[in-house]
């Protein structure tokens, strides 16, 4: 009775206050409304008070992550309620501002006097990776060679441009995904516990991260705030990055092997994908739990083995767009005294080489790769790779000057891209529980329901593994009910009466009460 009372009070509190976030050129502002009947006109008045920009000059954009639609809220009728947009507590709005509007709204700041120093002509240094939007704005779309096409072209009368371009040791300047944010670290802890059998045998365990992509301010916006003349730089909001909010980890059937793992045929693949889509989730990355490797004496990375990087590149190609670019990445959990997730992705060049089957692992050197010649291909068509000299201990930061022959092993740092991985600060967790078994059945369901017997249906079913196993336990005739339950959990909605009645029948039939 106490739990039902507290949940009803929670619903009343949520209905009484609507809190939105507004991203402006001067940071993020909070918009507070007394109830969910507030109108778009009320929103525009609050924005006027906070920014000094009149309603007639406002352009407020909302990116709906569910429908993936971008709409200008200010173009709608000002008498419409915010719930009709629809806007919910925690949603982010973007205030689009041109230079004239910013100049009127912002107080004038005194600029320090410029000197005639030669450094005034130098650009501020940037970090190792920038957002893909920032890169496109500065340099245009990335151009990645299609290595397969060079081997398929006719060998007669070849020009210089018909040969595959060489590959130089150079970090990719951009990344398609900037940040992994875990809404609830409980899913990480469970995956880590499930990996103990593999860790004891010095093997790895892999899983698939399910979440949502959200356009966000580049995490590097807080770095490099001043240029060489100590002048404050304004962040370019047209160069926003992409954040992946992770809510659950799925552990598919797999076979642990040395220096990696291998996926087995998953009979539930379509069911898992369908239930995840109903919850508004999609695969956003791979996760690997493994023992911490010894540091490389020359400074090269020891997070991903060559076998794991090739698997990641293959998965990124599966979850890529029409331009073969992918936001799919990887999180590595290393078993050590201090466990910190590390985010990585395969570079676009690595994906292109893997698609053309030009990369292979190296026996006895798990953290290296080598190039291989496709069967029946002309050896003269192979691209050459240039890496730092063997005695270089800079971890690949120095100039690449050593030319490799086909089959020569090389460190693979330049084929990886770093991604920030951290716990989310503002995203509301989607699932209350993370303790239903990966391959649970009716016996496990009975124990689970007894454990949470005091909770209502909405809380009881708030477990990712429970939801993806539900169609198997309820049967094919109840598939629509299972999908409806997944939608309610994924979007924090109340169960319709029809679904509640069908669950009552299912619980009575299987003695789950």
């Amino acid at each position: 009775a106490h739990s039902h009372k507290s949940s009803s009070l929670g619903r009343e509190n949520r209905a009484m206050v609507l809190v939105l976030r507004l991203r402006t050129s001067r940071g993020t502002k909070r918009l507070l409304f007394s109830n969910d009947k507030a109108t778009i006109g009320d929103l525009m008045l609050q924005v006027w008070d906070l920014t000094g920009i009149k309603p007639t000059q406002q352009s407020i954009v909302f990116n709906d992550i569910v429908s993936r639609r971008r709409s200008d809220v200010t173009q709608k009728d000002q008498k419409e309620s915010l719930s009709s947009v629809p806007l919910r507590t925690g949603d982010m709005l973007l205030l689009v501002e041109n230079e004239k509007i910013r100049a009127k709204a912002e107080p004038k700041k005194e600029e320090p006097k410029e000197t005639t120093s030669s450094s005034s002509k130098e650009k501020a240094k940037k970090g190792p990776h920038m957002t893909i939007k920032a890169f496109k704005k500065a340099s245009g779309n990335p151009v990645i060679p299609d290595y397969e096409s060079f081997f398929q072209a006719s060998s007669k009368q070849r020009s210089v441009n018909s040969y595959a371009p060489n590959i130089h040791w150079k970090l990719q300047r951009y990344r398609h995904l900037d940040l992994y944010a875990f809404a609830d670290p409980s899913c990480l802890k469970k995956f880590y516990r499930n990996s103990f059998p593999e860790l004891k045998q010095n093997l790895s365990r892999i899983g698939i991260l399910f979440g949502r992509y959200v356009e966000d301010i580049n995490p590097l916006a807080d770095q490099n705030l001043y240029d060489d003349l100590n002048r404050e730089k304004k962040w370019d909001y047209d160069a926003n990055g992409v954040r992946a909010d992770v809510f659950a980890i799925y552990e598919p059937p797999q076979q642990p092997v040395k220096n990696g793992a291998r996926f087995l045929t998953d009979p539930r693949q379509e069911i898992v994908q369908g239930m995840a889509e109903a919850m508004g989730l999609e695969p956003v990355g791979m996760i690997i739990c493994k023992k911490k490797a010894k540091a490389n004496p020359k400074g090269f990375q020891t997070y991903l083995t060559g076998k794991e990087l090739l698997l990641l590149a293959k998965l990124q190609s599966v979850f890529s767009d029409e331009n073969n670019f992918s936001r799919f990445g990887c999180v590595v959990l290393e078993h050590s005294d201090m466990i910190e997730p590390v985010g990585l992705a395969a570079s676009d060049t690595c994906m292109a080489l893997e698609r053309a089957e030009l990369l292979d692992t190296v026996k006895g050197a798990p953290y290296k790769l080598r190039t291989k010649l496709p069967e029946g291909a002309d050896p003269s068509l192979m691209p050459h790779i240039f890496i730092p000299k063997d005695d270089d201990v800079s971890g690949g930061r120095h100039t690449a000057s050593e030319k490799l022959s086909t089959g020569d092993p090389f460190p693979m740092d330049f084929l990886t891209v770093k991604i920030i991985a951290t716990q989310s600060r503002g995203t509301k967790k989607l699932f209350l529980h993370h303790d239903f078994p990966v391959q649970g059945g009716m016996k496990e369901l009975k124990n689970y329901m007894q454990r949470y017997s005091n909770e209502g249906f909405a809380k009881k079913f708030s477990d990712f593994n429970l939801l993806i196993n539900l169609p198997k336990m309820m049967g094919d005739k109840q598939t629509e009910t299972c999908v409806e339950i997944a939608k309610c959990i994924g979007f924090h909605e109340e169960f319709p009466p029809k679904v509640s009645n069908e669950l009552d029948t299912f619980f009575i039939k299987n003695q789950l009460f």
Side-chain angles (χ1 to χ4, degrees), residues 176-180 207-209 213 244 246 283-288 304 308-309 311-313 315-317 319 326-332 342-347 351 417-419:
H176 298 285
L177 177 67
D178 299 276
L179 177 69
Y180 274 118
I208 300 297
L209 303 173
Y213 292 115
V246 180
V284 296
M286 176 176 74
I287 185 168
I288 303 175
L304 289 177
E308 291 164 346
L309 181 60
L311 174 60
L312 175 59
L315 287 174
Q316 287 182 203
S317 295
F319 298 103
S326 177
R327 296 183 292 187
F328 196 90
C330 176
V331 173
V332 179
V342 177
L344 295 166
S347 68
M351 290 174 59
V417 178
K418 292 183 179 179
I419 301 173

Side-chain angles (χ1 to χ4, degrees), residues 112-165:
K113 294 181 180 180
E114 295 188 13
T115 65
T116 56
S117 169
S118 59
S119 63
S120 62
K121 297 181 180 180
E122 296 178 3
K123 294 182 179 179
K125 295 179 180 179
K126 296 178 180 178
H129 304 292
M130 64 176 78
T131 66
I132 184 62
K133 277 191 173 183
F135 182 86
K136 287 181 178 180
K137 194 170 182 180
S139 308
N141 289 325
V143 178
I144 308 300
D146 181 7
Y147 290 99
E148 290 178 286
S149 63
F150 291 103
F151 290 93
Q152 296 170 357
S154 174
S155 59
K156 296 181 179 179
Q157 297 181 347
R158 279 186 173 272
S159 64
V160 175
N161 293 332
S162 64
Y163 289 90

Side-chain angles (χ1 to χ4, degrees), residues 47 49 60 108 142 277 329 365 405 438 496:
V47 173
D49 292 336
I60 304 172
K108 293 184 178 180
E277 288 178 1
S405 301
V438 178

